[in-house]
C-alpha cells in the first residue's frame, strides 16, 4: 500500500471516528442533523458506538504500525516537529482513555463510579484538544508531523 | 392521567392492610444486606405470585427517597431549538404512581391472564432491573451513570445533564427526566442538556448502612428477597422447578440483578400489561452490549497486529537499504 493511500485511509478513519464519537452525545437529533437525508444513522447510539469501536481498532492498528515502523527504521532520519509531538501525544491520550472505556464496558469489569467519570471526561477532553490542535495545524499550514526535510542524526 | 393503582381489588387492599399491620408488629428479621456479599453483586428476587398490588412498596419508595427528588425552579430556561427540545416537567404531577416518573421510581403493573385454564390476577412491581452490564451506564458519554460493585446502577444527579440517552438505550426505557434541574443549568442551559434523569437506585444509601431497600422492607407479603445473585438465582430456580413457574431477568439484556418468578409465562404477561412511556414491557431482551464485547476483542488484537505489521515493514525497509549500501 502506498503512503498516500495509507494517509487517506488514516484521515477517513479519524474523520468517522470523530463523527461517531460526537454522535455519542445526544446532539445530532436535537439539532436536526440526523434529519438530513442519509444521516439518520447518526442518531442511532448503538450503531454509532459499534462503528466507533470498530474504527477504534483500525486506528490503533494504524497508529501502532506507524509508531513501530518509525521507531525501528525512521527514527534516525525523520525528526518529529513540535506540533507533531503534541498531536501524537494527544492521539496516544485519546487512544489510551478510549481503551479504558472499552475495558470498563466489558461485562465482567466494574470500575468505581468516579473512575468511570474520569475516563469519560478525559477521553472527551483529549479528543476535543486533538481536534482543536489538528485544526490549528491545518490552518497554519503545519499539518506535517515531521520537521521539514530529513535530519541526519549525528553519530 | 390517573393517580390510582390499577388492579387493586378491595379484597386485596384489605388483605394487604391486615398483613401490613401484622408486619409492623414483627421485628426486622431480615438479614443486613451490606455485609451479605463483598465479592458478588446483590440481586433481588420478586415472587410475583405473592404480590397483591397493595402499593405499600410504591409508598415506601416515595417516603424514603423523597429527599432525592428534584426541586426545579421555574420558569425553565428556553431550550433551543424550541421546536425539537421538549420540557419534561413532573414537578406538578408528583402523585402520579401508575408509571415511572422522576418522582415515582417504582409502580405496579397489573394483568389478568388465563393460563392452563386458570385465570390469574398478577401484579408486578416495576422499576430499574439493575443490569449486570448496563447500557445506560456504559453508553453515557458524560460518566453520569455507573454500576457499583454491589450491582446497583446509579445515575448521579449532580453530574447528569439530562440528555436522556440512558432512557433511549435502556431496553425498558426506565430512567425518567425532569427539566430545570442539575448541572446543565450552570453550563449551557439553552443549548445543551435538559435536566436530570431519575430512576430506582435500589436505596443504595440504606444498603450501605446494612438496611433493606424500602420496597422490600415495607412489603407485607414478602414478595421480594435480596441477597448475593447466585443465591437469588438458586432460589428462583428452586421455585420455578418446584411449581413449573417462569423466570425473567436472569438472561435478559445479558443478565440483570432483578429476577422475577411468575406462575404465568412472561410472554402472556407482556401481552396483557399496559405498556408505553414510563410503563416498561416484559419482552425478551437480547444482550444490548454483546456486539461491543466482540468488538473489544478486535481492539485488544489491533495493537499487536499493528506492531507485527510495523516490524514487517521496517524489516523490508532495513533489508532494502542494507542491500542498497552493499550495492554501493
Amino acid at each position: 500500500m502506498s503512503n498516500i493511500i495509507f494517509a487517506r485511509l488514516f484521515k477517513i478513519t479519524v474523520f468517522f471516528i470523530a463523527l461517531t464519537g460526537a454522535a455519542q452525545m445526544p446532539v445530532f437529533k436535537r439539532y436536526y442533523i440526523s434529519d438530513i437525508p442519509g444521516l439518520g444513522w447518526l442518531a442511532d447510539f448503538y450503531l454509532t458506538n459499534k462503528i466507533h469501536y470498530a474504527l477504534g481498532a483500525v486506528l490503533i492498528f494504524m497508529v501502532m504500525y506507524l509508531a513501530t515502523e518509525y521507531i525501528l527504521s525512521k527514527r534516525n532520519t525523520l525528526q518529529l516537529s513540535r506540533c507533531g509531538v503534541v498531536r501524537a501525544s494527544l492521539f496516544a491520550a485519546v487512544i489510551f482513555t478510549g481503551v479504558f472505556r472499552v475495558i470498563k464496558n466489558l461485562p465482567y469489569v466494574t470500575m468505581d463510579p468516579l473512575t468511570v467519570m474520569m475516563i469519560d471526561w478525559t477521553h472527551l477532553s483529549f479528543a476535543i484538544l486533538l481536534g482543536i490542535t489538528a485544526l490549528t495545524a491545518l490552518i497554519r499550514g503545519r499539518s506535517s508531523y515531521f520537521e521539514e526535510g530529513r535530519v541526519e542524526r549525528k553519530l | 392521567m390517573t393517580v390510582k393503582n390499577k388492579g387493586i381489588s378491595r379484597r386485596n387492599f384489605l388483605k394487604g392492610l391486615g398483613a401490613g399491620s401484622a408486619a409492623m408488629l414483627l421485628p426486622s428479621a431480615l438479614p443486613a444486606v451490606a455485609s451479605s456479599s463483598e465479592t458478588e453483586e446483590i440481586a433481588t428476587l420478586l415472587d410475583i405470585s405473592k404480590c397483591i398490588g397493595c402499593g405499600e412498596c410504591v409508598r415506601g419508595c416515595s417516603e424514603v427517597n423523597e429527599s432525592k427528588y428534584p426541586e426545579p425552579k421555574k420558569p425553565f430556561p428556553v431550550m433551543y431549538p424550541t421546536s425539537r427540545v421538549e420540557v419534561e416537567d413532573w414537578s406538578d404531577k408528583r402523585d402520579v404512581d401508575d408509571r415511572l416518573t422522576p418522582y415515582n421510581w417504582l409502580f405496579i403493573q397489573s394483568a389478568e391472564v388465563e393460563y392452563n385454564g386458570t385465570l390469574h390476577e398478577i401484579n408486578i412491581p416495576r422499576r430499574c432491573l439493575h443490569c449486570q452490564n448496563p447500557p445506560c451506564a456504559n453508553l453515557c458519554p458524560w460518566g453520569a451513570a455507573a454500576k457499583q460493585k454491589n450491582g446497583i446502577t446509579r445515575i448521579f444527579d449532580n453530574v447528569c445533564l439530562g440528555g436522556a440517552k440512558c432512557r433511549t438505550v435502556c431496553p425498558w426505557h426506565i430512567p425518567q427526566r425532569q427539566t430545570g434541574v442539575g448541572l446543565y443549568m450552570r453550563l449551557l442551559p439553552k443549548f445543551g442538556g435538559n435536566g436530570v434523569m431519575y430512576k430506582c437506585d435500589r436505596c443504595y444509601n440504606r444498603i450501605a448502612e446494612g438496611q433493606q431497600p424500602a420496597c422490600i422492607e415495607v412489603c407485607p407479603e414478602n414478595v421480594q428477597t435480596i441477597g448475593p445473585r447466585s443465591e437469588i438465582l438458586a432460589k428462583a430456580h428452586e421455585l420455578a422447578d418446584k411449581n413449573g413457574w417462569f423466570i425473567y431477568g436472569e438472561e435478559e439484556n445479558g443478565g440483570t440483578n432483578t429476577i422475577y418468578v411468575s406462575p404465568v409465562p412472561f410472554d402472556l404477561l407482556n401481552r396483557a400489561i399496559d405498556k408505553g412511556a414510563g410503563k416498561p414491557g416484559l419482552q425478551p431482551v437480547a444482550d444490548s452490549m454483546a456486539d461491543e464485547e466482540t468488538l473489544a476483542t478486535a481492539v485488544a488484537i489491533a495493537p499487536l497486529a499493528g506492531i507485527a505489521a510495523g516490524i514487517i515493514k521496517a524489516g523490508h525497509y532495513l533489508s532494502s537499504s542494507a542491500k542498497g549500501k552493499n550495492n554501493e
Side-chain angles (χ1 to χ4, degrees):
Chain A
M1 189 186 295
S2 78
N3 285 343
I4 294 169
I5 294 173
F6 188 92
R8 279 184 188 160
L9 281 177
F10 188 86
K11 283 174 188 172
I12 291 167
T13 303
V14 170
F15 172 77
F16 279 103
I17 210 167
L19 186 68
T20 51
Q24 296 313 302
M25 289 174 285
V27 290
F28 286 162
K29 190 177 178 187
R30 175 170 177 159
Y31 288 102
Y32 291 100
I33 293 162
S34 58
D35 285 22
I36 298 168
L39 296 184
W41 61 278
L42 284 173
D44 183 335
F45 294 124
Y46 279 112
L47 178 65
T48 51
N49 194 51
K50 284 166 199 168
I51 295 171
H52 198 66
Y53 264 60
L55 292 179
V58 173
L59 182 73
I60 292 170
F61 171 83
M62 287 178 149
V63 165
M64 293 310 286
Y65 166 78
L66 288 172
T68 308
E69 190 200 4
Y70 176 74
I71 290 166
L72 292 181
S73 62
K74 295 180 182 167
R75 194 173 36 150
N76 295 341
T77 52
L78 272 178
Q79 189 88 39
L80 276 169
S81 66
R82 203 168 60 180
C83 183
V85 170
V86 171
R87 280 180 289 159
S89 307
L90 284 170
F91 259 116
V94 172
I95 288 171
F96 189 71
T97 50
V99 167
F100 265 95
R101 238 187 160 281
V102 170
I103 293 169
K104 85 154 179 81
N105 286 354
L106 290 170
Y108 37 84
V109 174
T110 304
M111 291 183 183
D112 175 69
L114 184 66
T115 310
V116 169
M117 196 173 74
M118 284 301 116
I119 290 170
D120 286 355
W121 285 17
T122 48
H123 187 61
L124 187 64
S125 306
F126 286 132
I128 291 170
L129 277 176
L130 177 60
I132 292 169
T133 315
L135 206 64
T136 310
L138 188 73
I139 291 165
R140 295 178 68 188
R142 293 181 188 174
S143 56
S144 174
Y145 275 68
F146 301 102
E147 297 285 5
E148 288 298 316
R150 286 181 161 223
V151 177
E152 291 296 336
R153 194 171 167 187
K154 288 176 186 172
L155 294 171
Chain B
M1 186 152 304
T2 176
V3 292
K4 184 173 172 281
N5 273 324
K6 289 176 184 169
I8 304 173
S9 66
R10 192 171 62 173
R11 178 178 56 83
N12 280 348
F13 175 73
L14 292 172
K15 192 178 163 191
L17 200 66
S21 308
M24 281 173 69
L25 299 172
L26 293 169
S28 180
L30 297 166
V33 188
S35 58
S36 64
S37 175
E38 294 295 323
T39 54
E40 197 180 349
E41 290 182 2
I42 299 165
T44 49
L45 172 69
L46 287 95
D47 176 356
I48 57 175
S49 74
K50 289 181 178 176
C51 184
I52 56 171
C54 66
E56 280 298 313
C57 55
V58 180
R59 284 183 284 278
C61 174
S62 277
E63 281 170 27
V64 162
N65 292 308
E66 198 177 1
S67 61
K68 300 173 192 168
Y69 292 161
E71 293 298 338
K73 285 179 186 164
K74 295 181 187 178
F76 299 134
V78 177
M79 296 179 288
Y80 297 103
T82 51
S83 54
R84 173 63 48 101
V85 188
E86 288 176 11
V87 167
E88 289 186 42
D89 180 23
W90 290 92
S91 60
D92 297 328
K93 297 176 280 187
R94 298 183 189 215
D95 291 336
V96 171
D97 66 357
D98 67 339
R99 58 162 285 173
L100 297 171
T101 80
Y103 301 88
N104 194 56
W105 301 348
L106 166 68
F107 79 109
I108 296 172
Q109 281 175 324
S110 299
E112 280 191 4
V113 178
E114 194 180 322
Y115 178 62
N116 281 347
T118 310
L119 189 68
H120 295 263
E121 188 183 335
I122 302 283
N123 300 294
I124 316 152
R126 298 306 305 274
R127 53 160 170 78
C128 172
L129 284 88
H130 298 278
C131 300
Q132 289 201 289
N133 194 27
C136 62
N138 289 341
L139 300 183
C140 175
W142 192 238
K147 189 183 78 172
Q148 296 183 173
K149 284 199 164 54
N150 61 5
I152 298 174
T153 301
R154 289 175 60 195
I155 298 173
F156 297 91
D157 62 348
N158 53 347
V159 181
C160 179
L161 299 174
K165 182 182 177 184
C166 53
R167 181 171 59 193
T168 306
V169 299
C170 169
W172 296 275
H173 310 301
I174 298 284
Q176 299 295 317
R177 174 160 59 191
Q178 173 61 47
T179 296
V181 285
L183 186 60
Y184 94 109
M185 295 286 280
R186 285 193 260 166
L187 298 174
L188 292 166
K190 290 178 180 178
F191 303 105
N194 186 357
V196 172
M197 307 305 295
Y198 293 92
K199 67 167 194 71
C200 160
D201 60 12
R202 215 169 62 182
C203 292
Y204 73 93
N205 45 332
R206 289 172 63 86
I207 285 190
E209 291 166 4
Q211 293 177 288
Q212 303 275 348
C215 58
I216 299 178
E217 192 174 274
V218 301
C219 179
E221 298 294 321
N222 292 329
V223 169
Q224 293 194 64
T225 314
I226 190 165
R229 191 170 191 267
S230 57
E231 289 178 20
I232 289 297
L233 277 178
K235 278 183 193 172
H237 280 281
E238 191 186 322
L239 279 171
D241 293 345
K242 193 171 79 181
N243 302 308
W245 287 357
F246 304 90
I247 295 176
Y248 188 84
E250 182 182 6
E251 303 291 342
E252 279 68 23
N253 202 26
T256 78
N257 283 319
T258 300
I259 312 295
Y260 289 96
V261 285
S262 162
V264 176
F266 282 95
D267 58 333
L268 295 183
L269 284 176
N270 186 42
R271 268 180 259 157
I273 54 174
D274 188 15
K275 297 183 287 291
K279 296 177 181 181
L282 286 162
Q283 72 280 15
V285 175
D287 185 355
S288 308
M289 299 298 293
D291 289 340
E292 275 81 352
E293 199 181 335
T294 309
L295 287 165
T297 312
V299 173
I301 293 168
L304 304 174
I307 291 170
I311 290 171
I312 292 166
K313 181 76 191 296
H316 280 300
Y317 176 82
L318 292 174
S319 62
S320 61
S321 52
K323 273 180 192 169
K325 276 184 184 173
N326 288 341
N327 291 339
E328 282 168 16

